[in-house]
Amino acid sequence: MNDKLIIFDTTLRDGEQSPGASMTKEEKLRIARQLEKLGVDVIEAGFAAASPGDADAIHSIAKVIEHSTVCSLARASERDVRAAGEAIKPAKRGRIHTFIATSPIHMEKKLRMAPDEVVERAVAAVKLALEYTDDVEFSAEDAVRSEMDFLVRIFDEVIKAGATTLNVPDTVGYSIPVLWGDVFKQLISRVPNSGKVIWSTHCHNDLGMASANSLAAVMNGARQLECTINGLGERAGNASLEEVVMAVKTRRDIFTCDTRIDTTQIVPTSKLVSSITGYPVQPNKAIVGANAFAHESGIHQDGVLKHRETYEIMRAEDVGWGANKMVMGKHSGRAAFRSRLQELGIVLEGDEALNTAFARFKDLADKKHDIFDEDLQALVSDEEAMQVSEHYRLVAMGAHSETGVLPVARVVVSVGGKEEQADAQGGGPVDATFKAIEQIVHSGTELQLYSVNNITSGTDAQGEVTVRLSKGGRVVNGQGADTDIVVASAKAYLNALNKLDTGLERAHPQI
Ligand code: KIV
Ligand code: ZN
């Protein structure tokens, strides 16, 4: 029997530390539900002490998640550990993840603490965390640049204090596989009672080696792997869940462990995270990129047609590609709609929410012949986006573009219930639309990102637009979906403005 490899997903914490990727509570809840469906063992839902909003999101996630452990990050301080402990209280299985830096540069320059004090803080934090849960993880931040003797000492002390998982982070993405594997080999052989805890790896991707380093750690005894969907995370990101999970599954001849991940949920999860955070997935990204299973050269196509395994080491359908199931159309009824949403794990609170979503589904079915699961997901995201606040609402719009003529747009926006209209010209119909909206709202925001993704294939597909706006250091992502991408753009812009208006954006979570 193979060992179990614990998959610890930190999309909602380290992933959220990507610039502009901060999420609202509702968005975090949707991702958490999808992560549970994907089968991750631990969901790091946030950093409770960072803000009341973060604590509230963790608390809400802890209430609804049944099968995954829900975890909060905490610095090794009383305030942080207590905030984390309170936030995870409703969880069926809750974990506190406390950390302190252990490298000379971090201890001297950032913490301004002597090594003895660092050890004392770590031990005290672990002991306090145990008052809230018996599942306590300790991380030695910047372990990659820490002295091995000091790591052995601090890990020994936190095991004695009661920590159950010991995480070894390559905080700055500095290691290479052979060295990272050796760090685990040394720690596991030198730390007393190392067999009584789970060893965990947490790698950043600054040199493009996060996944490779994580896998080297697994080959040398790590049994928890910390990762994020699409490799999202601080700076160049973290190890990608999809890459490490598929490596372990595909190379069972090498890895002596298995994960609990339902790999057919990988692509849907990747799409959800990409649409909520506004971080597009590059086409050639392993596993989840649009081209990951596309064969362009004639020789490859010929080979695959004759025998798939000539050029494919994994099956696209095993990671959730091609699951583009045609689920419904114009004639589908409310019961079928509700039941499909349930199968997709989408919960709509109350009859009114169902009725509105159903009406929007019918509108969409008038414009688009085949409705796929992805369309339903987008429809509900759009619905949630609209519920952010009704302060700004798109009532009507039109845009015109013609070769040789400056594009124009007219928008009618309801501002706090009062309709206002504006016309504007722009470099293109989207630009003209945004300018017309600005004539009404005068938001003074800066457009940081504009991206369009087609939700399914075909020219009648819905376009899903993400707009990132910033103002005075606050950053929000707005989303909108429609078969007309100019309309989707207007919805996304107004959704972002509504988030700014209601203060739904969150500060950078790592304080
Ligand atoms: O990269 C890092 O060191 C972290 C720790 C908080 C685990 O994210
Ligand atoms: Zn990290």
Side-chain angles (χ1 to χ4, degrees), residues 38-58:
L38 175 67
V40 309
D41 299 287
V42 186
I43 297 172
E44 187 162 53
F47 184 178
S51 70
D54 228 28
D56 182 36
I58 300 166

Side-chain angles (χ1 to χ4, degrees), residues 306-353:
K306 287 180 174 141
H307 187 81
R308 193 183 53 77
E309 284 166 21
T310 50
Y311 287 101
E312 279 187 6
I313 56 162
M314 297 167 275
R315 295 190 313 174
E317 54 273 33
D318 289 349
V319 298
W321 281 113
N324 253 1
K325 262 194 265 159
M326 202 280 274
V327 286
M328 303 170 92
K330 213 177 161 94
H331 303 293
S332 311
R334 188 186 312 263
F337 178 69
R338 190 209 314 256
S339 114
R340 190 62 202 152
L341 289 186
Q342 273 165 0
E343 280 163 28
L344 289 173
I346 297 171
V347 187
L348 291 180
E349 305 293 346
D351 280 354
E352 206 186 312

Side-chain angles (χ1 to χ4, degrees), residues 13-14 202 204 238:
R13 198 277 298 170
D14 217 322
H202 175 113
H204 280 269
N238 290 58

Side-chain angles (χ1 to χ4, degrees), residues 10 13-14 17 169-171 202-204 234 238:
T10 182
R13 198 277 298 170
D14 217 322
Q17 289 171 211
D170 179 358
T171 305
H202 175 113
C203 294
H204 280 269
E234 188 79 47
N238 290 58

Side-chain angles (χ1 to χ4, degrees), residues 347-472:
V347 187
L348 291 180
E349 305 293 346
D351 280 354
E352 206 186 312
L354 179 72
N355 290 346
T356 329
F358 185 65
R360 290 165 50 73
F361 159 71
K362 284 287 181 185
D363 280 352
L364 180 62
D366 274 340
K367 296 188 216 152
K368 187 172 187 292
H369 189 257
D370 300 332
I371 309 276
F372 299 97
D373 285 346
E374 287 86 344
D375 289 312
L376 296 183
Q377 299 265 19
L379 189 126
V380 175
S381 296
D382 210 31
E383 188 65 33
E384 281 174 359
M386 284 169 53
Q387 283 171 12
V388 162
S389 143
E390 282 293 279
H391 190 65
Y392 299 118
R393 189 171 50 80
L394 182 67
V395 178
M397 68 160 295
H400 181 77
S401 63
E402 191 182 326
T403 41
V405 181
L406 215 51
V408 287
R410 165 169 299 168
V411 296
V412 183
V413 174
S414 154
V415 183
K418 187 168 161 279
E419 287 187 12
E420 294 186 34
Q421 179 179 314
D423 297 84
Q425 291 184 322
V430 172
D431 186 41
T433 303
F434 289 178
K435 285 191 170 127
I437 294 176
E438 272 304 319
Q439 280 186 23
I440 297 173
V441 302
H442 306 289
S443 73
T445 53
E446 191 187 319
L447 180 65
Q448 286 197 335
L449 174 139
Y450 170 81
S451 81
V452 191
N453 282 307
N454 56 332
I455 292 170
T456 54
S457 52
T459 48
D460 72 344
Q462 290 195 88
E464 188 169 48
V465 174
T466 301
V467 163
R468 183 174 301 150
L469 298 180
S470 73
K471 187 179 178 182

Side-chain angles (χ1 to χ4, degrees), residues 137-151:
E137 171 169 338
F138 170 76
S139 279
E141 191 192 11
D142 203 21
V144 69
R145 292 185 294 175
S146 303
E147 284 161 9
M148 182 50 73
D149 287 350
F150 186 60
L151 283 180

